[in-house]
């Protein structure tokens, strides 16, 4: 078969071009490898420092992490000591213990705090205003407030109410002068007897028929009048004599004076 010269010439040129390109490619690959090797030698060897925190890769957002270790802490047992104080027993000295006694016993106090035993001489021989003084309806309050059975109000009771039948004789507890005779709108027929020794006796709620008048001088035990029912302020009580006594202006429990 006869060769075509044009074809053979072009073929020869094509083969030479291929090998030339292949050679150039090999040279370029070798040059790239050499460059990469040099760059690797130029990068310093970085070692982690002992005082720096190591880099920890972050967990991507949205990814569920299931291998988180649980934090454990030691169990502490706290024990509190409970201290129980012994009960304190309060002991009252024997000297401070008092026993209530009937008011008939001379242990009452004056309204200004003086005991009955401190009453000055001058009434040490006084007699009772009635023959029977055992039935006391309302005692002397000593300055304390008590409820009035008639008015319902709280007030001091500065005298003693002694029950007695209407018309019972009322006597002078000691000699003295009748300083006044009045018909008080609250206390009714009232007689005031001045004993001229600092003591004054006041009789309230008497009947209208009196045996004395203002200015009279009377002896101990003399009849001055009779029990009545004229004291409106104590009308809710049974018939009685309301008797008051003062010493130098201070109220005294009359029951501590009578013999």
């Amino acid at each position: 078969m006869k060769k075509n010269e044009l074809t053979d010439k072009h073929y020869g040129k094509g083969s030479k071009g291929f090998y030339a390109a292949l050679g150039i490619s090999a040279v370029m690959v070798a040059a790239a490898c050499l460059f990469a090797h040099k760059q690797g030698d130029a990068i310093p060897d970085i070692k982690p420092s002992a005082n720096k925190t190591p880099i920890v890769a972050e967990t991507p957002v949205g990814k569920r992490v299931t291998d988180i270790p649980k934090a454990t802490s030691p169990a502490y047992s706290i024990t509190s000591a409970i201290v129980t104080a012994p009960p304190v027993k309060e002991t009252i000295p024997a000297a401070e213990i008092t026993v209530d006694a009937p008011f008939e016993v001379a242990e009452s106090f004056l309204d200004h705090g003086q005991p009955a035993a401190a009453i000055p001489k001058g009434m040490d021989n006084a007699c009772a205003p009635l023959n029977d003084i055992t039935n006391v309806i309302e005692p002397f309050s000593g300055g304390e407030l008590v409820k009035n059975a008639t008015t319902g109000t709280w007030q001091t009771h500065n005298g003693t109410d002694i029950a007695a039948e209407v018309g019972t004789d009322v006597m002078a507890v000691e000699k003295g002068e009748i300083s006044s005779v009045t018909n008080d709108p609250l206390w009714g027929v009232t007689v005031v007897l001045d004993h001229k020794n600092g003591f004054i006796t006041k009789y309230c709620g008497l009947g209208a028929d009196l045996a004395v008048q203002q200015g009279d001088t009377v002896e101990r035990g003399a009849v001055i009048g009779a029990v009545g029912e004229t004291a409106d302020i104590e009308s809710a009580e049974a018939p009685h004599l309301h008797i008051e006594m003062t010493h130098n202006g201070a109220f005294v429990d009359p029951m501590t004076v009578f013999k």
Side-chain angles (χ1 to χ4, degrees):
M1 181 177 179
K2 191 177 180 176
K3 296 182 180 179
N4 189 338
E5 292 182 357
L6 292 174
T7 303
D8 291 340
K9 289 180 180 179
H10 286 294
Y11 178 79
K13 292 180 179 179
S15 297
K16 292 179 180 179
F18 171 76
Y19 288 111
L22 184 60
I24 293 170
S25 298
V27 172
M28 292 179 65
V29 170
C33 291
L34 179 60
F35 177 78
H37 179 70
K38 290 182 177 181
Q39 289 297 324
D41 292 341
I43 297 174
D45 186 11
I46 301 174
K47 295 182 179 181
S49 176
N51 58 356
K52 292 184 179 180
T53 305
I55 300 174
V56 180
E58 295 181 356
T59 304
V61 177
K63 182 178 179 181
R64 185 174 184 181
V65 181
T66 60
D67 58 347
I68 300 175
K70 294 182 178 179
T72 59
S73 58
Y76 294 94
S77 177
I78 301 175
T79 304
S80 300
I82 300 175
V83 180
T84 304
V88 179
K89 295 182 178 180
E90 182 178 356
T91 303
I92 301 175
E96 296 182 9
I97 300 175
T98 58
V99 179
D100 292 337
F103 72 91
E104 288 84 0
V105 180
E107 292 182 3
S108 0
F109 288 82
L110 306 181
D111 61 343
H112 49 48
Q114 292 183 349
I119 295 177
K121 292 182 178 181
M123 296 293 285
D124 50 354
N125 195 38
C127 67
L130 302 169
N131 288 328
D132 183 5
I133 60 171
T134 58
N135 189 5
V136 175
I137 299 175
E138 187 68 39
F140 175 69
S141 71
E144 295 184 2
L145 297 178
V146 294
K147 190 174 183 179
N148 185 299
T150 304
T151 64
T153 59
W154 290 84
Q155 59 194 54
T156 58
H157 192 250
N158 298 323
T160 300
D161 295 343
I162 307 171
E165 295 291 335
V166 174
T168 302
D169 286 342
V170 177
M171 296 167 286
V173 297
E174 187 52 272
K175 65 180 180 179
E177 180 182 338
I178 305 298
S179 60
S180 69
V181 176
T182 59
N183 188 3
D184 189 270
L186 294 179
W187 294 104
V189 178
T190 302
V191 173
V192 177
L193 177 58
D194 187 353
H195 302 286
K196 303 299 181 176
N197 56 2
F199 282 90
I200 294 177
T201 304
K202 185 177 182 179
Y203 304 83
C204 302
L206 300 177
D209 293 331
L210 297 175
V212 295
Q213 60 184 355
Q214 184 175 345
D216 288 352
T217 298
V218 296
E219 296 295 326
R220 173 185 179 273
V223 175
I224 62 174
V227 174
E229 291 182 299
T230 58
D232 290 342
I233 195 171
E234 294 181 344
S235 59
E237 298 178 13
H240 65 278
L241 169 68
H242 177 96
I243 184 169
E244 298 179 4
M245 187 172 291
T246 60
H247 179 250
N248 294 332
F251 285 101
V252 178
D253 183 357
M255 301 299 291
T256 65
V257 178
F258 305 148
K259 294 293 186 179

